[in-house]
Amino acid sequence: MKILGIETSCDETAAAVVEDGVSILSNVVVSQIDIFAEYGGVIPEVAARSHLEATMPVIDKALRDASCDWDDIDAIAVTHAPGLLGSLLIGTLTARTLAILHNKPLYAVHHLKSHVYANWLTDGSGLGLPKFPLLALVISGGHTQILYMPAHNQFEIIGTTRDDAVGECFDKVAKILGLPYPGGPSISKAAAAYGATGQNKKLSPGDAGKYQFPHPKVEGLDFSFSGLKTAVLRAVQKEVGVPISYPSHELARLLTPQQVVDFAASFQKTAVDILVEKLEAASRQYRDIKSIVVAGGVSANEVLRGALPGAYFPAPALSGDNGAMVAAAAYFEIQSGVRPTDPYKLNIYPRVSIEN
Ligand code: KG4
Ligand code: ZN
């Protein structure tokens, strides 16, 4: 079964063709990162306009790359929740129109569910597919959750962030350190002392033990990341010798390059330690689990990958937003008995939970 997956929930316009939920026949991702690096973050209006221009060419390329025409496609899947309203609208309206035009069943997929299913897209790692019951750590720019999955398409949220998402925390700390958006990759590069042109010979790789940040005291399996962002801010202010009223956006120019590298490494280590700690607590609590999967943009992080050697991670290129994971999620929904949605009625839900 060949499914065309369409993803436009944030700032990537993406489409892919996936066979039987696991084999990628094509995967096209057009990122708007270059646009938003200039602004230091996503501007929803601009994102929606860019999707409008890119969506059809991206879908056409996904079909061409997979050597498919419409007759070969068995179903269309699209992200309809959660995400930016305008961005979600472009993808879902396109998918609805195409489903009606080409008479294809249409499936609406939750964005976090699709991130989890990136772990079913085979990457030749030889690990095989994840086994149930499992725990999924979903870490993105908007979410930080631990999910218990007894079987395909069944999700129970057992831990969630009470404030910022971990990806958001990377993005905010990057701003404090004067590093470009998105913060995750730029903090990782800075921590390893990689500049725009590779390893910076004048700098040592970041000392992750140089600055100590407290772990939040949150009971159970919930997270909190807003305190960590503030702790980094206070530590930077202290390091450069200015009062806590000093504006955060002016701090970066007072830091030496080596201080930036050390702050990046120390912050990254703390964020990773917090995630690993909670995931370990969850696996002590849910003793029947057979696999742990990690998903979402932050799952690209190399330090986190190194800290969880037994866990499943998507291929790095599939950690961020893409259409292949949407098609994979839809395939396993269909296997679980989910019926297609009405293309004349499909709605978008910018804020809905994965449990609904
Ligand atoms: O899943 P995603 O692409 O979009 C959302 O659904 O939000 O996640 C984006 C988030 C951003 O906050 C970005 O800074 C973070 O993922 N990210 C990383 C890395 N690559 C992307 N965080 C840490 N380390 C990385 N290597
Ligand atoms: Zn995402």
Side-chain angles (χ1 to χ4, degrees), residues 171-258:
D171 296 336
K172 287 177 175 169
V173 168
K175 264 194 179 172
I176 296 170
L177 300 178
L179 298 168
Y181 175 86
S186 58
I187 284 190
S188 289
K189 267 195 221 143
Y194 276 85
T197 53
Q199 173 96 47
N200 187 329
K201 298 273 183 329
K202 294 191 201 98
L203 298 174
S204 313
D207 175 359
K210 174 100 186 268
Y211 305 102
Q212 312 283 322
F213 305 115
H215 289 201
K217 292 193 179 53
V218 189
E219 272 175 39
L221 301 175
D222 281 352
F223 298 92
S224 163
F225 279 98
S226 73
L228 177 56
K229 166 201 66 195
T230 311
V232 175
L233 174 63
R234 296 289 174 255
V236 173
Q237 287 164 329
K238 190 166 165 231
E239 185 76 2
V240 299
V242 297
I244 61 167
S245 57
Y246 197 88
S248 61
H249 61 275
E250 286 179 21
L251 277 172
R253 59 188 177 83
L254 304 178
L255 287 165
T256 66
Q258 188 63 54

Side-chain angles (χ1 to χ4, degrees), residues 8 53 104 141 155 237 295 300 356:
T8 66
E53 282 175 22
K104 304 289 175 189
F155 301 88
Q237 287 164 329
N356 288 356

